[in-house]
């Protein structure tokens, strides 16, 4: 199992722990994270959730081999896939979610941060959403939320070109709260999560709901639209070329498309 979970001092921790594959997320890992989020929601002793990676890497995103072997089905099947169920549990989590971005956060590693309440990034972190370069499209609301955060021009650099963000840029555009030295980011994020032990949980829950309510409908509609295109594109010749190139450690060749 490459997800470690536990509850300490009112904080449910989800630690991504597959360093040998740069914390790439498999179907089984999404399932474990979904279960941890559901359990955190149901446990009254849990006041906040902390998502963390390993030193030097938060997550390199979806496991690309899983993309090739176990791509979610299309249509309604895609919406019931493990990654969708995990992201739905994150969106539905009514307790504060804090992310400690200890290193690279690629693909869904950055997308999921858009749905956390607090994000602390290490000064060594790099964030990127290279979906188009993989023959895919933005996912889980990023095509709505990223332009809102930074404007359409800069969103095009991040979502069409896949340009990475430095930690400072992530803070400047509002994806992250603060940059911390690599050795301090996890402890800082935990301290923020623990502050909810001293706040009234009902008020926190309802305030979080209010913060998110205004664009819930638009967000869910965009997620469904992105998901349908993403599932189709996973089977496209462009994506197949990109995935094969990744494992063959070569540059993809899109000249034939
Ligand atoms: N899926 C599957 N395997 C992955 C992976 C992923 N998303 N990311 C890394 N790995 C594997 C590599 O294949 C390699 O496996 P190997 O040792 O069997 O060859 C191992 O993890 C180490 O990765 P490597 O690329 O050698 O590490 P690095 O330090 O040079 O680079 C990253 C780290 C995160 C920058 C780089 O691995 C990367 O770009 N990964 C893919 C990111 C991506 O496109 N994610 C999907 C977004 S939708």
């Amino acid at each position: 199992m490459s997800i470690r979970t536990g509850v300490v001092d009112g904080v449910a921790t989800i630690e991504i722990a597959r360093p040998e594959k740069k914390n790439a997320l498999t179907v089984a890992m999404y399932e474990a994270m979904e279960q941890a989020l559901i359990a955190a929601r149901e446990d009254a002793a849990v006041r906040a959730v902390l998502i963390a990676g390993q030193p030097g890497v938060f997550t390199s995103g979806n496991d690309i081999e899983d993309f090739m072997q176990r791509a979610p089905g299309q249509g309604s099947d895609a919406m019931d896939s493990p990654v969708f169920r995990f992201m739905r549990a994150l969106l539905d989590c009514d307790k504060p979610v804090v992310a400690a971005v200890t290193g690279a956060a690629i693909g869904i590693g950055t997308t999921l941060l858009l749905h956390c309440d607090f994000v602390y990034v290490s000064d060594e972190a790099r964030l990127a959403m290279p979906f188009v370069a993989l023959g895919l499209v933005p996912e889980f609301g990023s095509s709505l939320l990223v332009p809102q955060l930074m404007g359409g021009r800069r969103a095009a650099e991040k979502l069409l070109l896949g340009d990475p963000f430095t930690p400072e840029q992530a803070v400047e555009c509002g994806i992250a709260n603060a940059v911390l030295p690599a050795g301090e980011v996890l402890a800082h994020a935990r301290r923020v999560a623990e502050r909810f032990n001293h706040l009234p949980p009902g008020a926190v829950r309802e305030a979080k709901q209010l913060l998110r309510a205004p664009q819930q409908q638009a967000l869910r509609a965009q997620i469904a639209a992105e998901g349908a295109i993403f599932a189709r594109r996973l089977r496209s010749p462009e994506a197949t070329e990109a995935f094969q190139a990744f494992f063959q450690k070569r540059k993809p060749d899109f000249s034939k498309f």
Side-chain angles (χ1 to χ4, degrees), residues 18-22 24-25 57 60-65 67 104 106-108 130-131 134 136 230 246-247 249:
R18 195 188 176 209
E20 70 285 3
K21 292 288 178 190
K22 301 289 171 182
L25 296 168
V57 66
S60 62
N62 203 100
D63 186 296
I64 293 177
E65 196 172 337
F67 265 160
I106 318 284
I108 197 165
F131 298 108
L134 287 168
L136 303 172
F230 194 102
F246 176 74
F247 286 116
K249 301 190 190 290

Side-chain angles (χ1 to χ4, degrees), residues 166-208:
T166 62
E168 293 73 21
Q169 285 170 334
V171 172
E172 191 222 330
C173 75
I175 287 186
N177 293 77
V179 185
L180 290 126
E184 291 172 26
V185 65
L186 180 58
H188 181 84
R190 174 168 287 283
R191 277 196 298 277
V192 172
E194 286 174 356
R195 286 176 61 184
F196 288 97
N197 289 319
H198 309 289
L199 288 166
V204 169
R205 191 168 50 245
E206 292 191 317
K208 173 166 173 166

